[in-house]
Amino acid sequence: MKKYYRLSELDKAFDISVDDAHYLNSETDVSFCVFCPTSDVILGGYRKGKFVGFGCASYSGLISLDKAQQTELFENKKVNLKGSVILQKDKISRYTPDYPFTVKVPNPVIIEWLSAPYDDIPFQQLPYIFMPEQRKSMSKQIIKTFYELGAKNEESLSKLPEKFDPRKPLVDELFKSSKTFKFDDICITSSELEKAKAYLFKTPEHDATLNMRPIDILLTNIIAQFPILKPSQIWEKLKSDITNDPRSFDTDEIIDEIGEDTLYWYNSSAELQQMKKKSFYNLIKKLKIN
């Protein structure tokens, strides 16, 4: 199975029609994403709703959509995004921690710049914004032009935007960029596809998958491949696998890190979870019984 499929592939490969996809979007928790062509982006995160930049990069791969954005795309056949979350960290290229603008931070687009080395970025799924545009405000330029053409009086100044003085030279500002994604850009990951098949076809095997966490599905697949392995051997196999690029077993990169006694993994909402080694061993035994 591929890591992801475009919506246009599902009918031929899995007998899932476009109408089925509409149903899955409106009536289930199945999540769709879109493929983003090569774009310049700012990687970062959010602090109290404000964007903090880590560095600049180029990216081509899957990006996430929240439920409202998915519905807009299904209903209107397009959605406009100023940023999203990168779902394929291995598709990031040309990363640099250098701040690319002369406009200082904080500003309305980027509140802080951390200049983080790429290897120090802790997230498996990375928030980003499309590369902002540095330029002078067109609306302020128009206001300044009208002022200079004859409305040079105190009354006209009192009606202008706060902190804007048309008597002074205009300076560069940062403005958010956006991209429009169309219906043909919709994709679904292999893990979400399994959920989709469970909702549509409802075999006992699929019904069981619906109630399984991503880590349960991963371990079940490994147990099916290596039924005689002990829990400790599966632990070591996964610990070795996360150093591979690409990974051989954890192809969806569910596991973030495996320490001496703790495994860290992402749930279906991309939230980091942890599991102690003893709990991991007990889970393996439980999955083998089921």
Side-chain angles (χ1 to χ4, degrees):
M1 181 177 287
K2 300 195 298 184
K3 289 186 177 181
Y4 71 90
Y5 294 82
R6 288 187 178 269
L7 207 58
S8 57
E9 298 178 277
L10 296 183
D11 197 1
K12 184 176 181 180
F14 302 101
D15 199 25
I16 297 176
S17 67
V18 171
D19 287 340
D20 291 330
H22 276 274
Y23 168 81
L24 291 167
N25 173 69
S26 62
E27 302 296 335
T28 75
D29 62 348
V30 170
S31 182
F32 293 89
C33 53
V34 292
F35 185 86
C36 178
T38 303
S39 303
D40 292 329
V41 298
I42 303 289
L43 305 182
Y46 288 89
R47 180 183 297 152
K48 296 182 179 179
K50 303 292 186 179
F51 190 79
V52 177
F54 295 160
C56 309
S58 180
Y59 179 70
S60 175
L62 299 181
I63 60 174
S64 68
L65 301 173
D66 62 31
K67 194 62 176 179
Q69 291 167 340
Q70 292 177 53
T71 299
E72 181 178 351
L73 185 52
F74 270 92
E75 291 182 351
N76 300 329
K77 308 304 180 187
K78 64 179 181 179
V79 65
N80 190 268
L81 302 178
K82 293 181 173 65
S84 182
V85 174
I86 284 171
L87 298 181
Q88 294 176 291
K89 192 175 177 181
D90 59 320
K91 304 297 185 182
I92 295 171
S93 62
R94 298 190 299 163
Y95 179 81
T96 171
D98 297 332
Y99 184 67
F101 309 108
T102 59
V103 177
K104 295 181 179 180
V105 291
N107 58 63
V109 178
I110 302 172
I111 190 174
E112 186 179 357
W113 191 266
L114 298 183
S115 293
Y118 183 75
D119 292 338
D120 291 349
I121 296 176
F123 307 114
Q124 185 61 41
Q125 296 184 336
L126 280 166
Y128 77 92
I129 57 174
F130 290 110
M131 185 67 69
E133 182 181 359
Q134 178 176 318
R135 58 175 171 80
K136 293 176 175 60
S137 167
M138 289 182 286
S139 60
K140 289 181 181 179
Q141 182 65 65
I142 292 172
I143 293 172
K144 181 176 175 65
T145 300
F146 274 107
Y147 178 80
E148 292 174 345
L149 287 175
K152 297 181 179 180
N153 56 64
E154 292 300 320
E155 182 181 356
S156 64
L157 287 175
S158 67
K159 298 177 181 179
L160 296 177
E162 186 180 357
K163 297 181 181 180
F164 173 55
D165 188 341
R167 297 168 296 185
K168 296 180 180 180
L170 289 179
V171 297
D172 279 357
E173 301 177 48
L174 282 191
F175 295 88
K176 292 181 179 179
S177 297
S178 63
K179 287 185 179 294
T180 298
F181 293 89
K182 299 181 179 180
F183 194 75
D184 289 343
D185 298 318
I186 297 177
C187 300
I188 187 170
T189 63
S190 57
S191 58
E192 291 298 312
L193 177 58
E194 290 303 313
K195 289 169 59 177
K197 290 191 290 186
Y199 278 116
L200 294 172
F201 307 127
K202 297 188 181 300
T203 66
E205 179 183 352
H206 287 155
D207 282 344
T209 301
L210 270 181
N211 298 317
M212 296 178 72
R213 304 168 300 174
I215 190 69
D216 300 331
I217 296 173
L218 170 62
L219 295 177
T220 298
N221 291 336
I222 293 178
I223 290 169
Q225 287 183 264
F226 308 98
I228 64 173
L229 288 186
K230 298 177 181 178
S232 59
Q233 293 174 308
I234 294 177
W235 176 280
E236 292 302 323
K237 185 175 286 291
L238 287 172
K239 192 172 184 179
S240 175
D241 184 50
I242 63 175
T243 64
N244 296 329
D245 187 18
R247 299 182 185 183
S248 301
F249 304 110
D250 182 19
T251 55
D252 292 324
E253 299 188 357
I254 294 164
I255 297 174
D256 179 60
E257 180 184 353
I258 300 180
E260 188 63 31
D261 190 51
T262 307
L263 181 148
Y264 299 89
W265 60 281
Y266 291 97
N267 65 15
S268 56
S269 299
E271 297 169 338
L272 193 62
Q273 310 290 312
Q274 58 177 288
M275 183 185 303
K276 294 297 182 182
K277 184 181 286 187
K278 183 176 180 181
S279 298
F280 178 88
Y281 287 3
N282 290 335
L283 177 59
I284 294 294
K285 294 174 183 177
K286 177 183 176 182
L287 292 173
K288 281 189 173 184
I289 293 173
N290 292 337

